[in-house]
Amino acid sequence: EVQLEQSGAEVRKPGESLKISCKGSGYNFVNYWLAWVRQMPGKGLEYMGRLYPADSDTRYSPSFQDQVTFSVDKSITTAYLQWRSLKASDTAIYYCARPGALGGLDVWGQGTTVTVSS
Amino acid sequence: DIQMTQFPSSLSASVGDRVIITCRASQSINTYLNWYQQKPGQAPKLLIYTASSLQRGVPSRFSGSGSGTDFTLTINSLQPEDFATYYCQQSYKDPRAFGQGTKVDIK
């Protein structure tokens, strides 16, 4: 079964760093792009960007460029989303999702809730 | 960047109704348009890809159409489990933006 398993909920203070994970299984992880999607409380889906595990090619949405970092560890089929200095406005659910061959995000992780509060 | 606009932003409907949701792209995206359903507390689910292709396992009452800049998602004979929020997304060019969503609730 194709799955994306995300790390658990996190609570941090403003200014702290954070790295959340998304582990792929049941498919050839390195040969599929992996996208990240933000959903702020009570709001819609926002596309953050995507990463290609085979060569770490990364395409950030301009709104998230320089705000977050995508990375991957191919050896453990895991992708990461990282912040160096969190803000309260980073409070959201973050999903990883796999685009299928024709672009639709056909596999989703369960989401990681990030809460940033002093 | 390509902007995606959905309308309406919300609608009320009854079981058995036909529901049509519209999505417009700010420039032509050919047929690189996807539709998702999201229920409260759940991750989104892909319904339709490339404008009109039904994702495996999705009921046939869901259908999509359109090309270029204008697209529609149609739900025939709305069922109780279809009350949810629906999003379009373009996969033509980065960043692959979503529409703002359409919430379908019970009349």
mmCIF file of all heavy atoms in Angstrom, chain A residues 21-66:
data_model
loop_
_atom_site.group_PDB
_atom_site.id
_atom_site.type_symbol
_atom_site.label_atom_id
_atom_site.label_comp_id
_atom_site.label_asym_id
_atom_site.label_seq_id
_atom_site.Cartn_x
_atom_site.Cartn_y
_atom_site.Cartn_z
ATOM 1 N N SER A 21 8.606 15.632 9.469
ATOM 2 C CA SER A 21 8.977 14.618 8.478
ATOM 3 C C SER A 21 7.776 13.982 7.809
ATOM 4 O O SER A 21 6.633 14.052 8.295
ATOM 5 C CB SER A 21 9.832 13.538 9.144
ATOM 6 O OG SER A 21 9.075 12.827 10.094
ATOM 7 N N CYS A 22 8.076 13.337 6.686
ATOM 8 C CA CYS A 22 7.073 12.652 5.877
ATOM 9 C C CYS A 22 7.751 11.426 5.277
ATOM 10 O O CYS A 22 8.634 11.565 4.425
ATOM 11 C CB CYS A 22 6.585 13.599 4.790
ATOM 12 S SG CYS A 22 5.546 12.854 3.513
ATOM 13 N N LYS A 23 7.363 10.242 5.729
ATOM 14 C CA LYS A 23 8.011 9.024 5.267
ATOM 15 C C LYS A 23 7.142 8.308 4.244
ATOM 16 O O LYS A 23 5.977 7.996 4.511
ATOM 17 C CB LYS A 23 8.280 8.068 6.442
ATOM 18 C CG LYS A 23 8.973 6.776 6.002
ATOM 19 C CD LYS A 23 9.364 5.914 7.173
ATOM 20 C CE LYS A 23 9.958 4.584 6.704
ATOM 21 N NZ LYS A 23 11.161 4.788 5.848
ATOM 22 N N GLY A 24 7.705 8.067 3.079
ATOM 23 C CA GLY A 24 6.998 7.376 2.022
ATOM 24 C C GLY A 24 7.269 5.881 2.053
ATOM 25 O O GLY A 24 8.369 5.450 2.377
ATOM 26 N N SER A 25 6.245 5.098 1.700
ATOM 27 C CA SER A 25 6.413 3.645 1.621
ATOM 28 C C SER A 25 5.466 3.078 0.574
ATOM 29 O O SER A 25 4.470 3.706 0.216
ATOM 30 C CB SER A 25 6.144 2.989 2.985
ATOM 31 O OG SER A 25 4.820 3.243 3.397
ATOM 32 N N GLY A 26 5.811 1.905 0.082
ATOM 33 C CA GLY A 26 4.943 1.222 -0.870
ATOM 34 C C GLY A 26 5.100 1.665 -2.310
ATOM 35 O O GLY A 26 4.323 1.240 -3.179
ATOM 36 N N TYR A 27 6.062 2.519 -2.585
ATOM 37 C CA TYR A 27 6.310 2.965 -3.971
ATOM 38 C C TYR A 27 7.775 3.387 -4.086
ATOM 39 O O TYR A 27 8.489 3.489 -3.098
ATOM 40 C CB TYR A 27 5.376 4.100 -4.357
ATOM 41 C CG TYR A 27 5.642 5.443 -3.689
ATOM 42 C CD1 TYR A 27 6.327 6.456 -4.368
ATOM 43 C CD2 TYR A 27 5.214 5.711 -2.394
ATOM 44 C CE1 TYR A 27 6.573 7.683 -3.775
ATOM 45 C CE2 TYR A 27 5.454 6.930 -1.787
ATOM 46 C CZ TYR A 27 6.122 7.918 -2.477
ATOM 47 O OH TYR A 27 6.367 9.133 -1.878
ATOM 48 N N ASN A 28 8.182 3.661 -5.328
ATOM 49 C CA ASN A 28 9.565 4.061 -5.594
ATOM 50 C C ASN A 28 9.745 5.524 -5.204
ATOM 51 O O ASN A 28 9.568 6.437 -6.008
ATOM 52 C CB ASN A 28 9.897 3.843 -7.070
ATOM 53 C CG ASN A 28 11.361 4.035 -7.370
ATOM 54 O OD1 ASN A 28 12.122 4.499 -6.507
ATOM 55 N ND2 ASN A 28 11.788 3.718 -8.567
ATOM 56 N N PHE A 29 10.079 5.756 -3.945
ATOM 57 C CA PHE A 29 10.083 7.089 -3.340
ATOM 58 C C PHE A 29 10.896 8.103 -4.128
ATOM 59 O O PHE A 29 10.474 9.242 -4.306
ATOM 60 C CB PHE A 29 10.623 6.965 -1.909
ATOM 61 C CG PHE A 29 10.709 8.251 -1.149
ATOM 62 C CD1 PHE A 29 9.578 8.809 -0.562
ATOM 63 C CD2 PHE A 29 11.926 8.902 -0.995
ATOM 64 C CE1 PHE A 29 9.658 9.995 0.150
ATOM 65 C CE2 PHE A 29 12.015 10.089 -0.291
ATOM 66 C CZ PHE A 29 10.874 10.629 0.286
ATOM 67 N N VAL A 30 12.060 7.709 -4.604
ATOM 68 C CA VAL A 30 12.969 8.696 -5.200
ATOM 69 C C VAL A 30 12.479 9.224 -6.546
ATOM 70 O O VAL A 30 12.916 10.279 -6.991
ATOM 71 C CB VAL A 30 14.399 8.156 -5.351
ATOM 72 C CG1 VAL A 30 14.990 7.831 -3.977
ATOM 73 C CG2 VAL A 30 14.449 6.955 -6.269
ATOM 74 N N ASN A 31 11.577 8.517 -7.197
ATOM 75 C CA ASN A 31 11.165 8.886 -8.553
ATOM 76 C C ASN A 31 9.821 9.601 -8.627
ATOM 77 O O ASN A 31 9.263 9.755 -9.729
ATOM 78 C CB ASN A 31 11.153 7.651 -9.452
ATOM 79 C CG ASN A 31 12.558 7.161 -9.740
ATOM 80 O OD1 ASN A 31 12.839 5.971 -9.669
ATOM 81 N ND2 ASN A 31 13.451 8.078 -10.035
ATOM 82 N N TYR A 32 9.298 10.038 -7.509
ATOM 83 C CA TYR A 32 8.071 10.834 -7.477
ATOM 84 C C TYR A 32 8.351 12.140 -6.728
ATOM 85 O O TYR A 32 8.960 12.131 -5.661
ATOM 86 C CB TYR A 32 6.943 10.114 -6.733
ATOM 87 C CG TYR A 32 6.264 9.012 -7.502
ATOM 88 C CD1 TYR A 32 6.824 7.738 -7.569
ATOM 89 C CD2 TYR A 32 5.058 9.239 -8.152
ATOM 90 C CE1 TYR A 32 6.199 6.726 -8.269
ATOM 91 C CE2 TYR A 32 4.417 8.232 -8.842
ATOM 92 C CZ TYR A 32 4.995 6.971 -8.891
ATOM 93 O OH TYR A 32 4.354 5.966 -9.576
ATOM 94 N N TRP A 33 7.872 13.261 -7.301
ATOM 95 C CA TRP A 33 7.927 14.505 -6.562
ATOM 96 C C TRP A 33 7.142 14.364 -5.264
ATOM 97 O O TRP A 33 6.236 13.526 -5.143
ATOM 98 C CB TRP A 33 7.318 15.642 -7.386
ATOM 99 C CG TRP A 33 8.144 16.058 -8.567
ATOM 100 C CD1 TRP A 33 8.138 15.517 -9.820
ATOM 101 C CD2 TRP A 33 9.088 17.131 -8.596
ATOM 102 N NE1 TRP A 33 9.023 16.179 -10.618
ATOM 103 C CE2 TRP A 33 9.616 17.173 -9.901
ATOM 104 C CE3 TRP A 33 9.523 18.060 -7.652
ATOM 105 C CZ2 TRP A 33 10.579 18.106 -10.302
ATOM 106 C CZ3 TRP A 33 10.469 18.994 -8.036
ATOM 107 C CH2 TRP A 33 10.992 19.008 -9.346
ATOM 108 N N LEU A 34 7.472 15.214 -4.296
ATOM 109 C CA LEU A 34 6.780 15.241 -3.016
ATOM 110 C C LEU A 34 6.443 16.707 -2.727
ATOM 111 O O LEU A 34 7.353 17.556 -2.717
ATOM 112 C CB LEU A 34 7.690 14.658 -1.940
ATOM 113 C CG LEU A 34 7.127 14.198 -0.599
ATOM 114 C CD1 LEU A 34 6.654 15.348 0.259
ATOM 115 C CD2 LEU A 34 6.021 13.171 -0.771
ATOM 116 N N ALA A 35 5.164 16.988 -2.538
ATOM 117 C CA ALA A 35 4.721 18.369 -2.335
ATOM 118 C C ALA A 35 4.375 18.617 -0.874
ATOM 119 O O ALA A 35 4.040 17.686 -0.133
ATOM 120 C CB ALA A 35 3.493 18.655 -3.206
ATOM 121 N N TRP A 36 4.438 19.890 -0.492
ATOM 122 C CA TRP A 36 4.016 20.313 0.848
ATOM 123 C C TRP A 36 2.891 21.324 0.708
ATOM 124 O O TRP A 36 2.944 22.226 -0.141
ATOM 125 C CB TRP A 36 5.172 20.925 1.624
ATOM 126 C CG TRP A 36 6.205 19.922 2.041
ATOM 127 C CD1 TRP A 36 7.376 19.624 1.401
ATOM 128 C CD2 TRP A 36 6.175 19.080 3.216
ATOM 129 N NE1 TRP A 36 8.066 18.650 2.093
ATOM 130 C CE2 TRP A 36 7.347 18.306 3.204
ATOM 131 C CE3 TRP A 36 5.275 18.911 4.270
ATOM 132 C CZ2 TRP A 36 7.645 17.378 4.204
ATOM 133 C CZ3 TRP A 36 5.558 17.989 5.270
ATOM 134 C CH2 TRP A 36 6.738 17.234 5.235
ATOM 135 N N VAL A 37 1.888 21.187 1.582
ATOM 136 C CA VAL A 37 0.680 22.019 1.534
ATOM 137 C C VAL A 37 0.383 22.514 2.952
ATOM 138 O O VAL A 37 0.404 21.731 3.905
ATOM 139 C CB VAL A 37 -0.517 21.203 0.999
ATOM 140 C CG1 VAL A 37 -1.804 22.033 1.035
ATOM 141 C CG2 VAL A 37 -0.240 20.716 -0.423
ATOM 142 N N ARG A 38 0.103 23.802 3.076
ATOM 143 C CA ARG A 38 -0.239 24.376 4.377
ATOM 144 C C ARG A 38 -1.727 24.638 4.462
ATOM 145 O O ARG A 38 -2.362 25.051 3.487
ATOM 146 C CB ARG A 38 0.508 25.704 4.578
ATOM 147 C CG ARG A 38 0.260 26.346 5.939
ATOM 148 C CD ARG A 38 1.114 27.588 6.147
ATOM 149 N NE ARG A 38 0.585 28.754 5.476
ATOM 150 C CZ ARG A 38 1.107 29.974 5.599
ATOM 151 N NH1 ARG A 38 2.189 30.166 6.362
ATOM 152 N NH2 ARG A 38 0.576 30.998 4.948
ATOM 153 N N GLN A 39 -2.277 24.428 5.652
ATOM 154 C CA GLN A 39 -3.656 24.800 5.921
ATOM 155 C C GLN A 39 -3.716 25.483 7.276
ATOM 156 O O GLN A 39 -3.631 24.843 8.322
ATOM 157 C CB GLN A 39 -4.597 23.596 5.888
ATOM 158 C CG GLN A 39 -6.059 23.992 5.964
ATOM 159 C CD GLN A 39 -6.990 22.862 5.582
ATOM 160 O OE1 GLN A 39 -6.762 21.688 5.906
ATOM 161 N NE2 GLN A 39 -8.060 23.179 4.856
ATOM 162 N N MET A 40 -3.858 26.790 7.244
ATOM 163 C CA MET A 40 -3.972 27.560 8.481
ATOM 164 C C MET A 40 -5.345 27.319 9.098
ATOM 165 O O MET A 40 -6.274 26.903 8.392
ATOM 166 C CB MET A 40 -3.713 29.039 8.187
ATOM 167 C CG MET A 40 -2.314 29.288 7.655
ATOM 168 S SD MET A 40 -1.983 30.980 7.193
ATOM 169 C CE MET A 40 -1.772 31.724 8.779
ATOM 170 N N PRO A 41 -5.476 27.571 10.399
ATOM 171 C CA PRO A 41 -6.743 27.238 11.084
ATOM 172 C C PRO A 41 -7.967 27.843 10.396
ATOM 173 O O PRO A 41 -8.038 29.060 10.196
ATOM 174 C CB PRO A 41 -6.533 27.821 12.481
ATOM 175 C CG PRO A 41 -5.056 27.802 12.678
ATOM 176 C CD PRO A 41 -4.457 28.085 11.332
ATOM 177 N N GLY A 42 -8.887 26.999 10.021
ATOM 178 C CA GLY A 42 -10.136 27.433 9.400
ATOM 179 C C GLY A 42 -10.010 27.964 7.994
ATOM 180 O O GLY A 42 -10.966 28.545 7.468
ATOM 181 N N LYS A 43 -8.851 27.771 7.377
ATOM 182 C CA LYS A 43 -8.602 28.340 6.039
ATOM 183 C C LYS A 43 -8.414 27.256 4.992
ATOM 184 O O LYS A 43 -8.486 26.061 5.271
ATOM 185 C CB LYS A 43 -7.346 29.234 6.092
ATOM 186 C CG LYS A 43 -7.453 30.364 7.101
ATOM 187 C CD LYS A 43 -8.581 31.327 6.775
ATOM 188 C CE LYS A 43 -8.591 32.501 7.741
ATOM 189 N NZ LYS A 43 -9.748 33.409 7.496
ATOM 190 N N GLY A 44 -8.150 27.698 3.769
ATOM 191 C CA GLY A 44 -8.000 26.791 2.649
ATOM 192 C C GLY A 44 -6.595 26.225 2.514
ATOM 193 O O GLY A 44 -5.714 26.459 3.344
ATOM 194 N N LEU A 45 -6.412 25.477 1.443
ATOM 195 C CA LEU A 45 -5.136 24.826 1.153
ATOM 196 C C LEU A 45 -4.207 25.802 0.436
ATOM 197 O O LEU A 45 -4.618 26.488 -0.502
ATOM 198 C CB LEU A 45 -5.368 23.599 0.270
ATOM 199 C CG LEU A 45 -6.344 22.564 0.803
ATOM 200 C CD1 LEU A 45 -6.572 21.474 -0.239
ATOM 201 C CD2 LEU A 45 -5.845 21.970 2.110
ATOM 202 N N GLU A 46 -2.961 25.827 0.864
ATOM 203 C CA GLU A 46 -1.940 26.665 0.228
ATOM 204 C C GLU A 46 -0.785 25.780 -0.240
ATOM 205 O O GLU A 46 -0.218 25.024 0.559
ATOM 206 C CB GLU A 46 -1.390 27.691 1.210
ATOM 207 C CG GLU A 46 -2.395 28.700 1.714
ATOM 208 C CD GLU A 46 -1.759 29.606 2.742
ATOM 209 O OE1 GLU A 46 -1.186 30.650 2.362
ATOM 210 O OE2 GLU A 46 -1.817 29.257 3.942
ATOM 211 N N TYR A 47 -0.424 25.916 -1.477
ATOM 212 C CA TYR A 47 0.650 25.114 -2.056
ATOM 213 C C TYR A 47 1.986 25.752 -1.701
ATOM 214 O O TYR A 47 2.237 26.902 -2.055
ATOM 215 C CB TYR A 47 0.466 25.043 -3.571
ATOM 216 C CG TYR A 47 1.455 24.177 -4.285
ATOM 217 C CD1 TYR A 47 1.264 22.804 -4.361
ATOM 218 C CD2 TYR A 47 2.566 24.729 -4.891
ATOM 219 C CE1 TYR A 47 2.174 22.001 -5.019
ATOM 220 C CE2 TYR A 47 3.478 23.940 -5.557
ATOM 221 C CZ TYR A 47 3.278 22.570 -5.619
ATOM 222 O OH TYR A 47 4.176 21.778 -6.265
ATOM 223 N N MET A 48 2.843 24.996 -1.021
ATOM 224 C CA MET A 48 4.136 25.528 -0.578
ATOM 225 C C MET A 48 5.256 25.269 -1.581
ATOM 226 O O MET A 48 6.194 26.056 -1.703
ATOM 227 C CB MET A 48 4.523 24.913 0.762
ATOM 228 C CG MET A 48 3.521 25.158 1.870
ATOM 229 S SD MET A 48 3.963 24.337 3.406
ATOM 230 C CE MET A 48 5.398 25.277 3.917
ATOM 231 N N GLY A 49 5.158 24.131 -2.272
ATOM 232 C CA GLY A 49 6.218 23.778 -3.207
ATOM 233 C C GLY A 49 6.413 22.280 -3.247
ATOM 234 O O GLY A 49 5.630 21.518 -2.682
ATOM 235 N N ARG A 50 7.460 21.867 -3.971
ATOM 236 C CA ARG A 50 7.697 20.434 -4.126
ATOM 237 C C ARG A 50 9.181 20.136 -4.258
ATOM 238 O O ARG A 50 9.980 21.022 -4.581
ATOM 239 C CB ARG A 50 6.923 19.900 -5.352
ATOM 240 C CG ARG A 50 7.290 20.553 -6.659
ATOM 241 C CD ARG A 50 6.387 20.079 -7.798
ATOM 242 N NE ARG A 50 6.658 20.767 -9.032
ATOM 243 C CZ ARG A 50 6.856 20.168 -10.214
ATOM 244 N NH1 ARG A 50 6.800 18.844 -10.306
ATOM 245 N NH2 ARG A 50 7.105 20.881 -11.296
ATOM 246 N N LEU A 51 9.507 18.884 -4.002
ATOM 247 C CA LEU A 51 10.894 18.427 -4.045
ATOM 248 C C LEU A 51 10.945 17.086 -4.759
ATOM 249 O O LEU A 51 10.045 16.246 -4.590
ATOM 250 C CB LEU A 51 11.417 18.281 -2.607
ATOM 251 C CG LEU A 51 12.796 17.669 -2.408
ATOM 252 C CD1 LEU A 51 13.530 18.321 -1.245
ATOM 253 C CD2 LEU A 51 12.701 16.177 -2.134
ATOM 254 N N TYR A 52 12.012 16.894 -5.555
ATOM 255 C CA TYR A 52 12.209 15.621 -6.250
ATOM 256 C C TYR A 52 13.306 14.865 -5.528
ATOM 257 O O TYR A 52 14.477 15.264 -5.603
ATOM 258 C CB TYR A 52 12.569 15.877 -7.709
ATOM 259 C CG TYR A 52 12.539 14.650 -8.572
ATOM 260 C CD1 TYR A 52 11.352 13.943 -8.755
ATOM 261 C CD2 TYR A 52 13.680 14.210 -9.226
ATOM 262 C CE1 TYR A 52 11.316 12.817 -9.557
ATOM 263 C CE2 TYR A 52 13.654 13.085 -10.033
ATOM 264 C CZ TYR A 52 12.465 12.388 -10.201
ATOM 265 O OH TYR A 52 12.418 11.269 -11.006
ATOM 266 N N PRO A 53 12.984 13.773 -4.845
ATOM 267 C CA PRO A 53 13.987 13.102 -4.005
ATOM 268 C C PRO A 53 15.220 12.604 -4.744
ATOM 269 O O PRO A 53 16.310 12.588 -4.166
ATOM 270 C CB PRO A 53 13.197 11.934 -3.393
ATOM 271 C CG PRO A 53 11.783 12.402 -3.363
ATOM 272 C CD PRO A 53 11.629 13.205 -4.619
ATOM 273 N N ALA A 54 15.072 12.211 -5.997
ATOM 274 C CA ALA A 54 16.214 11.620 -6.707
ATOM 275 C C ALA A 54 17.398 12.568 -6.776
ATOM 276 O O ALA A 54 18.557 12.146 -6.679
ATOM 277 C CB ALA A 54 15.785 11.178 -8.101
ATOM 278 N N ASP A 55 17.126 13.867 -6.982
ATOM 279 C CA ASP A 55 18.220 14.820 -7.122
ATOM 280 C C ASP A 55 18.058 16.061 -6.251
ATOM 281 O O ASP A 55 18.814 17.018 -6.382
ATOM 282 C CB ASP A 55 18.391 15.244 -8.582
ATOM 283 C CG ASP A 55 17.149 15.905 -9.149
ATOM 284 O OD1 ASP A 55 16.193 16.147 -8.384
ATOM 285 O OD2 ASP A 55 17.113 16.188 -10.359
ATOM 286 N N SER A 56 17.064 16.039 -5.375
ATOM 287 C CA SER A 56 16.757 17.160 -4.463
ATOM 288 C C SER A 56 16.388 18.448 -5.196
ATOM 289 O O SER A 56 16.487 19.537 -4.626
ATOM 290 C CB SER A 56 17.906 17.429 -3.497
ATOM 291 O OG SER A 56 18.052 16.338 -2.606
ATOM 292 N N ASP A 57 15.984 18.348 -6.472
ATOM 293 C CA ASP A 57 15.454 19.511 -7.180
ATOM 294 C C ASP A 57 14.265 20.040 -6.380
ATOM 295 O O ASP A 57 13.374 19.278 -5.996
ATOM 296 C CB ASP A 57 15.013 19.099 -8.581
ATOM 297 C CG ASP A 57 14.549 20.275 -9.415
ATOM 298 O OD1 ASP A 57 14.674 21.437 -8.986
ATOM 299 O OD2 ASP A 57 14.033 20.024 -10.525
ATOM 300 N N THR A 58 14.265 21.340 -6.127
ATOM 301 C CA THR A 58 13.258 21.940 -5.255
ATOM 302 C C THR A 58 12.611 23.134 -5.934
ATOM 303 O O THR A 58 13.314 23.969 -6.506
ATOM 304 C CB THR A 58 13.898 22.374 -3.934
ATOM 305 O OG1 THR A 58 14.587 21.259 -3.355
ATOM 306 C CG2 THR A 58 12.841 22.817 -2.942
ATOM 307 N N ARG A 59 11.269 23.210 -5.857
ATOM 308 C CA ARG A 59 10.526 24.329 -6.436
ATOM 309 C C ARG A 59 9.643 24.938 -5.339
ATOM 310 O O ARG A 59 8.636 24.363 -4.964
ATOM 311 C CB ARG A 59 9.628 23.831 -7.577
ATOM 312 C CG ARG A 59 10.304 22.857 -8.524
ATOM 313 C CD ARG A 59 11.172 23.530 -9.547
ATOM 314 N NE ARG A 59 11.878 22.559 -10.384
ATOM 315 C CZ ARG A 59 11.379 22.042 -11.512
ATOM 316 N NH1 ARG A 59 10.165 22.389 -11.935
ATOM 317 N NH2 ARG A 59 12.097 21.178 -12.218
ATOM 318 N N TYR A 60 10.050 26.067 -4.831
ATOM 319 C CA TYR A 60 9.288 26.730 -3.772
ATOM 320 C C TYR A 60 8.264 27.678 -4.373
ATOM 321 O O TYR A 60 8.548 28.384 -5.356
ATOM 322 C CB TYR A 60 10.206 27.532 -2.855
ATOM 323 C CG TYR A 60 11.158 26.706 -2.019
ATOM 324 C CD1 TYR A 60 12.485 26.535 -2.409
ATOM 325 C CD2 TYR A 60 10.741 26.116 -0.827
ATOM 326 C CE1 TYR A 60 13.367 25.782 -1.648
ATOM 327 C CE2 TYR A 60 11.614 25.365 -0.055
ATOM 328 C CZ TYR A 60 12.921 25.210 -0.473
ATOM 329 O OH TYR A 60 13.792 24.467 0.298
ATOM 330 N N SER A 61 7.088 27.739 -3.782
ATOM 331 C CA SER A 61 6.162 28.821 -4.089
ATOM 332 C C SER A 61 6.778 30.117 -3.574
ATOM 333 O O SER A 61 7.366 30.142 -2.481
ATOM 334 C CB SER A 61 4.823 28.577 -3.398
ATOM 335 O OG SER A 61 3.985 29.690 -3.543
ATOM 336 N N PRO A 62 6.674 31.221 -4.316
ATOM 337 C CA PRO A 62 7.279 32.479 -3.875
ATOM 338 C C PRO A 62 6.876 32.884 -2.459
ATOM 339 O O PRO A 62 7.691 33.465 -1.731
ATOM 340 C CB PRO A 62 6.765 33.492 -4.910
ATOM 341 C CG PRO A 62 6.553 32.682 -6.136
ATOM 342 C CD PRO A 62 6.071 31.346 -5.658
ATOM 343 N N SER A 63 5.653 32.549 -2.064
ATOM 344 C CA SER A 63 5.188 32.937 -0.727
ATOM 345 C C SER A 63 5.969 32.245 0.383
ATOM 346 O O SER A 63 5.981 32.722 1.518
ATOM 347 C CB SER A 63 3.707 32.595 -0.572
ATOM 348 O OG SER A 63 2.933 33.268 -1.535
ATOM 349 N N PHE A 64 6.600 31.121 0.046
ATOM 350 C CA PHE A 64 7.297 30.328 1.060
ATOM 351 C C PHE A 64 8.816 30.293 0.847
ATOM 352 O O PHE A 64 9.542 29.800 1.722
ATOM 353 C CB PHE A 64 6.734 28.905 1.090
ATOM 354 C CG PHE A 64 5.310 28.848 1.551
ATOM 355 C CD1 PHE A 64 4.266 28.886 0.641
ATOM 356 C CD2 PHE A 64 5.014 28.788 2.897
ATOM 357 C CE1 PHE A 64 2.943 28.863 1.062
ATOM 358 C CE2 PHE A 64 3.702 28.753 3.344
ATOM 359 C CZ PHE A 64 2.667 28.793 2.421
ATOM 360 N N GLN A 65 9.264 30.805 -0.288
ATOM 361 C CA GLN A 65 10.706 30.885 -0.540
ATOM 362 C C GLN A 65 11.368 31.650 0.589
ATOM 363 O O GLN A 65 10.872 32.692 1.017
ATOM 364 C CB GLN A 65 10.936 31.603 -1.872
ATOM 365 C CG GLN A 65 12.377 31.731 -2.290
ATOM 366 C CD GLN A 65 12.873 30.508 -3.022
ATOM 367 O OE1 GLN A 65 12.219 30.009 -3.925
ATOM 368 N NE2 GLN A 65 14.041 30.026 -2.621
ATOM 369 N N ASP A 66 12.459 31.157 1.100
ATOM 370 C CA ASP A 66 13.233 31.775 2.185
ATOM 371 C C ASP A 66 12.542 31.707 3.542
ATOM 372 O O ASP A 66 13.089 32.195 4.540
ATOM 373 C CB ASP A 66 13.558 33.250 1.877
ATOM 374 C CG ASP A 66 14.387 33.410 0.621
ATOM 375 O OD1 ASP A 66 15.235 32.531 0.359
ATOM 376 O OD2 ASP A 66 14.169 34.401 -0.100
#
